[in-house]
Amino acid sequence: GNVTFSCSEPQIVPITFVSASRSYLLLPGTPQIDGLSVSFQFRTWNKDGLLLFTELSENSGPLLVYLHSGRLTLLIQKETQNPVEISEGTNLHDGLWHSVNINARRHRITLTLDNNAATASHATTVSRIYSGNSYYFGGCPDNFTDSPCLNPITAFQGCMRLIFIDNQPKDLILVQQGSLGNFSDLHIDLCGIKDRCLPNYCEHGGRCSQSWTTFYCNCTDTGYTGATCHNSIYEQSCEAYRHQGKTSGFFYIDSDGSGPLGPLRVFCNITGDKIWTAVQHNSTGLTRVQGANPEKPYTMSFNYNSSAEQLEAMINSAEYCEQEAAYHCKKSRLLNTPNGMPFAWWVGRANEKHLYWGGSLPGIQQCACGLEESCLDMRYFCNCDADREEWTNDTGLLAFKDHLPVTQIVITDTNRSNSEAAWKIGPLRCYGDRQFWNAASFNTEASYLHFPAFHAEVSADISFFFKTTAVSGVFLENLGIKDFIRVEISSPKEITFSIDVGNGPTEATVQSPTPLNDNQWHYVRAERNLKQTSLQVDSLPKKVLEAPAEGHFRLQLNSQLFVGGTASRQKGFLGCIRSLHLNGQKLDLEERAKMTPGVKPGCPGHCSSYGNLCHNGGRCVEKYNGYSCDCTNSAYEGPFCKEEVSALFEADTSITYIFQEPYPVTKNASTSSSAIYADAVTSKENIAFSFLTAHTPSLLLYINTYFHEYLAVILSKNGSLQVRYKLSKDGLLIFTIDSGNFANRELHHVKINREGRELVIQVDQILKLKHNFSETDFKAIKSLTLGKVTDTLSLDPEVSKANAYGFTGCLSSVQYNHIAPLKAALRHPSIAPVTVKGSLTESSCASIMEGDVNTVTTIYS
């Protein structure tokens, strides 16, 4: 007879385990006398999940195959024996298909992953291995009483296919029809797994990973943060760092915030009123050139360790930018006449050749001396063009922002006999942040500014400062056909961010414990991305709402963006908005406000919000764009009057501040002139200073009057601190603080405050002494001395003894009422009524606290 064989590939029917708690597939096995054979393929995005469970026959124990942290593990656990465990693979939750083969014969079991026999793992057991009757794939039934299934780890979410048990393929269509096995929460003939990282919604190079239901972004080393790596961790300018109280140093700035441009490393010079930002390039030193001619020119290209777009964004954001250009020449011409071909030129931002030099203006082929008519040879417009045999130079600033930065310099005239040049292009320097104080004042509820529609389909962030006295109002709104976005102050203590991307309106509300309509600046940041909607107000806890896993996700806006008002006729905003950014882009409120009725550019009253940033008696000065701290009447300096002014004294060092001759001594002084000497009769002393020394006795501070009254602060022989007051009615009063040796090479802070009759002395922020005088005035102050007193005629014996040794050590931040004598001696010795004798060296007391005062003083002097 004839025998016919037919062979065919098994039908590939994928199944999807949908639920993380209820999905399972139960298939029957064919128990074999010896051995076990199971194979299948799976794919998943979850790191953990039960793939297979079966209770082996002949009491061989349960067999489990599961994923744990992306690694495949096979486990046979029998109570009377040690467990058998095999692990294979890594990162098996990568969404790709992986095959698993389990084979057992007698005492040996083999686990093969992805059909790679070379890496198959083997193990031996004490008892023989028998196949099971029932095989649970993906999980266990809810009702464990009807099943021995164990689920030591979370159930499986993902897909399986090509299931073989005892070398027999299992027809999953029969399972679907109910004629084979059992199942729960499966999709059969479908693999419903979704690659949520394609496209990758992690921004700025964030690395995407995913689970069954959502994706995750790893923002490590990107410079950005947030659920989708959208938000820059850096500020947008040095002005913003200064506002956080930072001091000078290197910082990263991100000019477009959450925009596509990366952060740029700059140096922020935060010392004065103008905050300078500097970017170095690869050749800021003086460079000599010889042997260049038009046929073989010398060229140098500049690398700023940044992209042209980053530099352009920084320059555009600044109020002013400059680069110094210096050309030193000996028989080397620079620009030639305005009509001739130049001998040197530079290339700017747009790769354009520029024929003007530092100090001149664009389009004018001259140097600074040409504009000033001060060149060596009046026939030429640059000093170097005189072509002299001796060295001269043309130096000036290039300050036309649209041409900066300098990207290349070309020199062609150093090839003649005795011809030589040296050039220098300084770092790019800018000051001011045009956006940080860019503000608009909304004077009526009907007034608003409008801008083009806000396009932020996948991710949107909005940030701004506001101040108001109104109880409610809409900051901004943008509508689409169905979608919309809105930020408003909905009540005096509530800010609300509302958005609809087609799934219905979502509202995030932050509640403040104190009113927000207090006419102080408050900060708002609202963000929406595919994972969450969030709202931040000042430093209050952020409100975060998770986005639905499925549904609409693109924000479709098509109308104009309204700022300070609304298109939907809700209540507009009354007050000020400033520094408005949308997805890192700056909106110029001031420019738009100039042409809009009911809205004014700018906003006054910055000191009401930021005046507390001026410390130690510094006075907040209101400016059109922001504020500054005036440290004139403070013993401190710096942008916030927080930087100490301190100096090292030697034994003979003396600083004497002379007060003007008071009116009781000037008998014929008119009444009006007595106002000049208002401080001559004082009913209060506010004295503060810090000192560091290892020497006793010492005279720290001495104030005397024309009536032989005085106040002295001395260190006694034993290191205690003495404050000695001599007032005419009370006589000599001595207040001793002996809570330790103050000559211990540590920095100590002294405050002496007398208001009327009441005296308070504090040392190192601790109240040490209180006293009530009968006398209330310190009459006709003559002088204040730090260190050694040179006029010793009226000193009492104890003060004279201390004065003989003077003061050796460090004094810092000395304040007497509104006068800072040490600062006056160091900063304004020529204009202040101050006399310095002996050696005085500026130094930081805090930095030398660890060292030996004797050694340090000697080295410094």
Side-chain angles (χ1 to χ4, degrees):
N2 295 323
V3 179
T4 304
F5 293 95
S6 66
C7 297
S8 63
E9 287 287 326
Q11 184 183 4
I12 299 178
V13 180
I15 58 172
T16 306
F17 295 81
V18 180
S19 170
S21 58
R22 297 187 305 274
S23 293
Y24 72 90
L25 169 64
L26 170 61
L27 293 174
T30 307
Q32 298 182 10
I33 296 173
D34 182 18
L36 168 77
S37 176
V38 179
S39 65
F40 58 89
Q41 293 184 357
F42 75 91
R43 65 184 290 223
T44 184
W45 291 112
N46 286 0
K47 293 181 178 181
D48 304 305
L50 178 67
L51 295 171
L52 170 66
F53 171 87
T54 183
E55 185 75 36
L56 300 175
S57 303
E58 305 294 328
N59 292 321
S60 298
L63 180 145
L64 297 96
V65 180
Y66 56 89
L67 279 177
H68 181 55
S69 297
R71 186 166 173 80
L72 184 70
T73 299
L74 181 148
L75 178 68
I76 300 176
Q77 191 132 22
K78 196 171 181 182
E79 292 181 9
T80 59
Q81 299 173 8
N82 291 328
V84 174
E85 185 174 328
I86 305 173
S87 292
E88 272 290 313
T90 56
N91 195 33
L92 299 177
H93 59 294
D94 54 7
L96 303 176
W97 284 107
H98 296 282
S99 63
V100 179
N101 291 278
I102 303 156
N103 283 287
R105 288 290 177 271
R106 300 180 184 275
H107 299 276
R108 181 180 175 86
I109 188 164
T110 302
L111 174 66
T112 308
L113 178 66
D114 292 334
N115 297 318
N116 190 349
T119 63
S121 296
H122 312 278
T124 55
T125 60
V126 175
S127 58
R128 298 173 71 171
I129 299 169
Y130 299 88
S131 62
N133 293 309
S134 301
Y135 291 83
Y136 293 90
F137 290 87
C140 298
D142 287 339
N143 190 351
F144 285 101
T145 57
D146 299 336
S147 161
C149 184
L150 299 174
N151 190 1
I153 203 158
T154 58
F156 175 71
Q157 268 187 308
C159 300
M160 285 190 190
R161 68 185 186 188
L162 295 176
I163 298 176
F164 285 73
I165 298 177
D166 301 327
N167 296 315
Q168 298 296 314
K170 296 299 179 180
D171 189 343
L172 299 179
I173 296 299
L174 295 178
V175 175
Q176 187 179 32
Q177 293 169 353
S179 58
L180 178 66
N182 195 1
F183 69 92
S184 171
D185 276 333
L186 295 185
H187 290 161
I188 298 179
D189 207 11
L190 167 74
C191 181
I193 193 168
K194 184 177 180 182
D195 189 345
R196 299 179 186 277
C197 288
L198 195 66
N200 181 3
Y201 291 109
C202 302
E203 301 177 49
H204 302 108
R207 294 176 295 285
C208 183
S209 60
Q210 74 170 81
S211 67
W212 180 260
T213 54
T214 188
F215 69 93
Y216 306 96
C217 295
N218 182 347
C219 308
T220 306
D221 297 329
T222 64
Y224 294 83
T225 186
T228 58
C229 310
H230 179 72
N231 309 319
S232 180
I233 63 175
Y234 304 111
E235 296 297 332
Q236 290 191 291
S237 66
C238 289
E239 179 81 31
Y241 281 115
R242 177 243 193 197
H243 207 66
Q244 294 179 345
K246 297 282 195 279
T247 53
S248 297
F250 284 97
F251 295 90
Y252 280 96
I253 62 170
D254 198 334
S255 296
D256 69 339
S258 59
L261 299 179
L264 171 66
R265 190 169 186 261
V266 302
F267 182 80
C268 295
N269 187 353
I270 309 174
T271 52
D273 192 17
K274 290 176 181 172
I275 311 304
W276 286 92
T277 304
V279 185
Q280 294 284 356
H281 55 72
N282 55 327
S283 183
T284 51
L286 194 65
T287 305
R288 300 176 86 91
V289 180
Q290 283 183 298
N293 58 40
E295 289 72 37
K296 194 177 80 174
Y298 168 90
T299 62
M300 169 60 79
S301 297
F302 301 109
N303 177 10
Y304 294 84
N305 286 321
S306 58
S307 68
E309 292 78 14
Q310 285 174 309
L311 292 174
E312 186 174 340
M314 187 195 94
I315 292 168
N316 291 342
S317 298
E319 292 177 28
Y320 169 86
C321 292
E322 67 181 27
Q323 273 185 280
E324 185 184 57
Y327 192 78
H328 298 261
C329 53
K330 185 172 73 169
K331 205 162 180 57
S332 171
R333 293 160 294 181
L334 179 57
L335 294 184
N336 205 345
T337 61
N339 302 319
M341 283 298 293
F343 295 103
W345 60 87
W346 58 278
V347 178
R349 179 196 302 181
N351 209 25
E352 292 178 345
K353 180 177 173 180
H354 297 294
L355 309 182
Y356 66 98
W357 198 245
S360 183
L361 300 173
I364 303 174
Q365 190 171 318
Q366 294 185 14
C367 297
C369 70
L371 288 185
E372 297 164 3
E373 299 183 352
S374 61
C375 296
L376 289 175
D377 188 331
M378 296 303 289
R379 295 173 298 172
Y380 298 97
F381 298 95
C382 293
N383 289 320
C384 289
D385 290 345
D387 209 19
R388 302 279 181 90
E389 291 276 359
E390 62 274 2
W391 282 99
T392 184
N393 77 87
D394 286 291
T395 301
L397 295 174
L398 301 168
F400 188 64
K401 286 201 324 180
D402 290 356
H403 290 171
L404 297 177
V406 179
T407 60
Q408 191 181 66
I409 185 172
V410 181
I411 296 170
T412 68
D413 187 30
T414 60
N415 199 34
R416 295 174 293 152
S417 173
N418 209 22
S419 176
E420 191 176 356
W423 61 268
K424 179 181 178 182
I425 300 293
L428 173 66
R429 300 174 72 241
C430 300
Y431 72 75
D433 181 343
R434 292 172 58 206
Q435 182 60 16
F436 195 74
W437 299 103
N438 188 304
S441 305
F442 298 87
N443 302 320
T444 67
E445 288 182 1
S447 60
Y448 59 83
L449 302 176
H450 56 80
F451 294 87
F454 180 30
H455 293 294
E457 285 78 8
V458 176
S459 57
D461 73 84
I462 300 163
S463 64
F464 59 89
F465 292 86
F466 79 89
K467 67 175 182 174
T468 184
T469 55
V471 294
S472 64
V474 176
F475 297 120
L476 59 86
E477 181 184 77
N478 206 162
L479 304 179
I481 296 172
K482 290 184 178 178
D483 300 0
F484 72 86
I485 193 166
R486 183 187 304 120
V487 186
E488 61 187 312
I489 177 168
S490 44
S491 78
K493 294 185 177 182
E494 286 185 335
I495 305 293
T496 301
F497 175 36
S498 309
I499 188 167
D500 189 345
V501 295
N503 301 318
T506 298
E507 280 193 356
T509 299
V510 170
Q511 292 189 322
S512 169
T514 56
L516 298 166
N517 61 343
D518 55 359
N519 210 28
Q520 304 284 307
W521 284 116
H522 296 283
Y523 179 69
V524 175
R525 182 184 171 86
E527 185 186 353
R528 177 261 164 187
N529 55 53
L530 299 188
K531 290 184 67 70
Q532 54 189 218
T533 297
S534 65
L535 178 64
Q536 178 87 55
V537 178
D538 293 335
S539 55
L540 297 170
K542 184 190 287 189
K543 179 72 171 181
V544 179
L545 303 175
E546 296 301 324
E550 307 296 339
H552 300 277
F553 65 88
R554 290 193 178 274
L555 176 65
Q556 306 284 350
L557 304 174
N558 54 16
S559 70
Q560 288 184 316
L561 168 70
F562 286 75
V563 177
T566 166
S568 55
R569 296 188 179 149
Q570 297 187 36
K571 190 176 180 184
F573 173 70
L574 279 172
C576 289
I577 295 175
R578 74 172 174 87
S579 192
L580 176 59
H581 292 80
L582 275 66
N583 270 4
Q585 296 300 307
K586 308 166 178 69
L587 267 62
D588 195 340
L589 301 175
E590 291 196 359
E591 198 59 38
R592 194 59 62 97
K594 290 175 184 175
M595 54 189 83
T596 307
V599 188
K600 288 185 176 178
C603 185
H606 300 304
C607 279
S608 63
S609 294
Y610 302 124
N612 61 335
L613 294 177
C614 300
H615 298 271
N616 300 306
R619 184 174 64 89
C620 185
V621 179
E622 194 73 40
K623 294 163 54 181
Y624 176 74
N625 277 338
Y627 69 96
S628 64
C629 296
D630 180 1
C631 307
T632 305
N633 293 333
S634 169
Y636 293 75
E637 59 187 4
F640 300 105
C641 310
K642 289 175 74 174
E643 295 173 14
E644 293 187 346
V645 178
S646 51
L648 288 170
F649 283 63
E650 294 188 1
D652 61 344
T653 307
S654 168
I655 295 177
T656 305
Y657 190 98
I658 309 293
F659 291 81
Q660 295 190 39
E661 188 175 294
Y663 69 87
V665 177
T666 314
K667 304 291 184 187
N668 299 326
S670 65
T671 313
S672 60
S673 69
S674 67
I676 300 170
Y677 311 115
D679 269 332
V681 177
T682 60
S683 58
K684 66 175 183 179
E685 285 91 57
N686 286 318
I687 299 169
F689 63 91
S690 302
F691 72 91
L692 179 152
T693 187
H695 293 263
T696 60
S698 290
L699 176 58
L700 300 173
L701 179 144
Y702 183 77
I703 301 171
N704 66 339
T705 75
Y706 285 96
F707 291 94
H708 306 296
E709 299 168 328
Y710 68 85
L711 161 64
V713 182
I714 66 173
L715 284 180
S716 302
K717 183 71 177 171
N718 63 359
S720 62
L721 186 77
Q722 271 194 13
V723 179
R724 302 169 71 89
Y725 258 103
K726 185 185 178 189
L727 297 172
S728 54
K729 287 185 181 175
D730 286 346
L732 178 61
L733 293 169
I734 301 170
F735 307 102
T736 302
I737 289 96
D738 52 6
S739 55
N741 177 15
F742 291 101
N744 59 353
R745 296 187 175 90
E746 291 183 8
L747 196 61
H748 298 284
H749 310 278
V750 179
K751 284 188 177 180
I752 302 167
N753 292 314
R754 181 179 69 88
E755 196 79 45
R757 298 177 187 276
E758 187 177 293
L759 172 71
V760 175
I761 300 175
Q762 279 182 290
V763 179
D764 296 332
Q765 282 80 49
I766 300 168
L767 177 65
K768 293 294 184 182
L769 192 141
K770 275 191 174 184
H771 177 77
N772 281 317
F773 290 105
S774 59
E775 185 87 12
T776 59
D777 288 340
F778 213 28
K779 296 187 190 70
I781 294 177
K782 182 178 181 182
S783 64
L784 180 153
T785 301
L786 304 174
K788 197 177 188 78
V789 176
T790 52
D791 179 10
T792 58
L793 294 176
S794 58
L795 296 183
D796 75 23
E798 197 65 27
V799 174
S800 184
K801 194 185 300 179
N803 187 56
Y805 294 91
F807 173 73
T808 303
C810 192
L811 274 180
S812 172
S813 307
V814 183
Q815 183 93 37
Y816 169 74
N817 292 349
H818 66 270
I819 292 166
L822 179 59
K823 183 178 171 184
L826 290 170
R827 297 286 177 267
H828 313 291
S830 58
I831 58 171
V834 64
T835 304
V836 179
K837 293 183 178 177
S839 172
L840 181 72
T841 310
E842 185 170 356
S843 175
S844 167
C845 294
S847 68
I848 64 169
M849 200 162 74
E850 299 300 320
D852 186 321
V853 176
N854 287 325
T855 308
V856 172
T857 306
T858 307
I859 291 169
Y860 271 85
S861 63

